[in-house]
């Protein structure tokens, strides 16, 4: 995209300088090339070949219109639609050619909200001199700061008025953002359990199969690499949230948050067993059902069997 925009600017510069067209194929030159490059044919065929090239050249736009389409000549709605497909870097390059169009606030607002879905400042009256382009730069800077030091990153967002000092607002920001380093995020959530609590409540597991819900949960809140207190906390919070989202299913299956907790641990251990190349003797479906029903009684054998099938076919729940 950057090279394309450079060519557009270069073409316009050459046109303003009265460039004589050495870089373009003239009509006579094109016809001569067409006739000279057809050996062993009659003069009539050479002429016919020249006419074909002539028509092709004639169908092209004039020198002043060659290159990319001038977006300023299009309807604004179409121009904005075209520019909306660009990322921030390419949009900055486009502003070198189409300054008024590429600097439009709606385009930069779309870029902000597509990358950072929630910010406290979105729901406030914008301050004097507010610009979504400037906000994008601040959000990008804050994300880079967070990925180096989470606490400094959050403080940066608050100092710029982007985020309110509230666990719920921070949780919404994390939930709707995909540019944060998951390792740094895991460290931050381990230290800020109040933010973790609000982040868990943002998940909706209604009518989801347990392994699929667990995968979605660990996509947003990454599991630690080793077992420990933090993993137990995550599974406990997930179990209560899953039961709260599916009260009818829990009553039908006779499951409690403690039973869901046991099932989640069983699914994680099964995932490691089936996916690890170091485990030669994989756990069978019968063994999984027997072990799980020992740990959590009154669970349907068919239900536990479906859990095994899901892990066997789809893969790890916390990958």
């Amino acid at each position: 995209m950057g090279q394309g925009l450079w060519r557009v600017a270069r073409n316009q510069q050459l046109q303003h300088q009265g460039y004589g067209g050495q870089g373009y194929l003239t009509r006579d030159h094109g016809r001569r090339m067409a006739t000279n490059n057809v050996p062993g044919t009659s003069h009539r065929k050479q002429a016919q070949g020249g006419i074909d090239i002539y028509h092709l050249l004639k169908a092209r736009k004039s020198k002043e219109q060659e290159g990319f389409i001038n977006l300023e000549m299009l309807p604004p709605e179409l121009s904005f639609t075209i520019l909306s497909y660009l990322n921030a870097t390419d949009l900055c390059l486009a502003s070198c050619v189409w300054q008024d169009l590429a600097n439009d606030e709606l385009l930069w607002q779309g870029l902000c909200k597509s990358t950072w879905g929630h910010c406290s400042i979105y729901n406030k009256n914008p301050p004097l001199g507010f610009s979504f382009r400037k906000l994008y730069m601040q959000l990008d800077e804050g994300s880079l700061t967070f990925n180096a030091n989470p606490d400094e990153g959050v403080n940066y967002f608050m100092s710029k008025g982007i985020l309110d000092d509230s666990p719920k607002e921070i949780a919404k920001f994390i939930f709707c953002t995909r540019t944060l380093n998951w390792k740094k995020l895991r460290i931050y959530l381990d230290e800020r359990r109040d933010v973790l609590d609000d982040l868990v409540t943002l998940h909706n597991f209604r009518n989801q199969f347990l392994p699929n819900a667990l995968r979605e949960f660990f996509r947003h809140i990454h599991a630690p690499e080793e077992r420990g207190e933090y993993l137990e906390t995550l599974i406990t919070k997930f179990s209560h949230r899953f039961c709260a989202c599916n009260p009818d299913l829990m009553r039908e299956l006779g499951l409690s948050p403690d039973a869901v907790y046991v099932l989640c641990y069983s699914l994680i251990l099964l995932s490691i067993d089936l996916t690890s190349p170091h485990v030669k003797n994989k756990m069978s479906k019968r063994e999984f059902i027997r072990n799980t029903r020992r740990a959590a009684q009154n669970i349907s054998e068919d239900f536990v069997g479906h859990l095994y099938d899901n892990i066997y076919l789809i893969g790890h729940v916390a990958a």
Side-chain angles (χ1 to χ4, degrees):
M1 179 63 194
Q3 294 179 355
L5 291 173
W6 180 88
R7 286 196 294 269
V8 175
R10 182 59 176 164
N11 288 343
Q12 293 179 351
Q13 180 182 5
L14 294 176
Q15 293 165 14
H16 293 157
Q17 294 175 355
Y19 184 69
Q22 295 177 2
Y24 299 92
L25 186 64
T26 63
R27 181 184 301 176
D28 294 337
H29 188 198
R31 297 181 67 178
R32 286 196 300 270
M33 287 180 62
T35 56
N36 292 335
N37 291 334
V38 189
T41 58
S42 64
H43 177 73
R44 181 177 181 181
K45 290 183 179 180
Q46 293 176 9
Q48 182 64 37
I51 293 175
D52 291 341
I53 295 295
Y54 165 73
H55 284 300
L56 289 175
L57 292 173
K58 187 177 181 180
R60 295 183 63 185
K61 298 178 181 180
S62 61
K63 296 177 185 178
E64 292 76 16
Q65 295 176 331
E66 286 184 355
F68 285 95
I69 298 174
N70 187 355
L71 297 182
E72 294 178 347
M73 304 301 294
L74 299 176
E77 296 82 0
L78 181 56
S79 300
F80 289 138
T81 301
I82 295 173
L83 292 175
S84 66
Y85 288 95
L86 303 182
N87 57 35
T89 301
D90 291 337
L91 196 57
C92 287
L93 292 173
S95 65
C96 298
V97 181
W98 304 292
Q99 184 174 3
D100 293 337
L101 290 174
N103 287 332
D104 188 86
E105 281 291 277
L106 288 177
L107 292 175
W108 287 99
Q109 180 181 359
L111 280 176
C112 289
K113 293 188 176 181
S114 64
T115 308
W116 300 273
H118 175 83
C119 294
S120 304
I121 197 172
Y122 292 160
N123 302 320
K124 299 178 181 179
N125 293 325
L128 186 63
F130 174 81
S131 167
F132 274 102
R133 178 171 179 169
K134 180 180 178 181
L135 176 62
Y136 184 95
M137 305 304 175
Q138 292 175 339
L139 286 168
D140 189 54
E141 178 68 21
S143 296
L144 293 175
T145 304
F146 184 96
N147 293 338
N149 188 309
D151 291 327
E152 290 184 5
V154 173
N155 291 334
Y156 176 87
F157 290 129
M158 293 178 182
S159 66
K160 299 297 182 181
I162 297 174
L163 275 181
D164 292 341
D165 189 4
S166 163
K168 183 175 293 186
E169 286 296 300
I170 299 175
K172 288 181 180 179
F173 175 80
I174 293 174
F175 185 79
C176 299
T177 302
R178 299 294 177 266
T179 60
L180 304 179
N181 181 277
W182 64 271
K183 292 184 178 180
K184 297 295 184 180
L185 182 59
R186 185 175 62 193
I187 296 174
Y188 180 78
L189 293 176
D190 191 13
E191 297 175 350
R192 291 292 305 270
R193 298 299 176 91
D194 53 343
V195 176
L196 178 61
D197 290 339
D198 286 314
L199 185 58
V200 172
T201 60
L202 294 175
H203 291 80
N204 184 8
F205 302 122
R206 183 171 179 79
N207 296 329
Q208 291 191 32
F209 194 37
L210 180 60
N212 297 333
L214 197 57
R215 288 190 186 92
E216 179 183 337
F217 179 74
F218 283 133
R219 274 196 295 267
H220 287 92
I221 307 174
H222 292 270
E225 298 175 354
E226 300 178 355
R227 303 181 196 176
E229 187 270 337
Y230 181 58
L231 178 60
E232 295 176 358
T233 299
L234 291 181
I235 298 177
T236 300
K237 293 181 181 299
F238 168 82
S239 302
H240 284 84
R241 182 59 182 169
F242 184 83
C243 292
C245 293
N246 299 278
D248 296 336
L249 178 64
M250 296 301 101
R251 284 193 297 268
E252 179 182 348
L253 297 176
L255 295 178
S256 64
D258 291 338
V260 174
Y261 177 92
V262 172
L263 291 177
C264 290
Y265 244 116
S266 298
L267 290 173
I268 293 175
L269 295 177
L270 177 64
S271 298
I272 297 173
D273 185 273
L274 294 182
T275 59
S276 175
H278 304 291
V279 180
K280 295 182 179 180
N281 298 321
K282 306 295 184 182
M283 185 183 300
S284 67
K285 186 174 183 178
R286 179 177 297 178
E287 291 173 335
F288 177 73
I289 293 174
R290 182 178 65 250
N291 296 337
T292 303
R293 295 194 67 187
R294 285 177 181 175
Q297 301 177 356
N298 301 325
I299 297 179
S300 168
E301 183 174 325
D302 291 337
F303 179 74
V304 179
H306 291 318
L307 296 178
Y308 182 94
D309 294 338
N310 182 279
I311 303 300
Y312 184 84
L313 294 174
I314 299 179
H316 208 302
V317 293

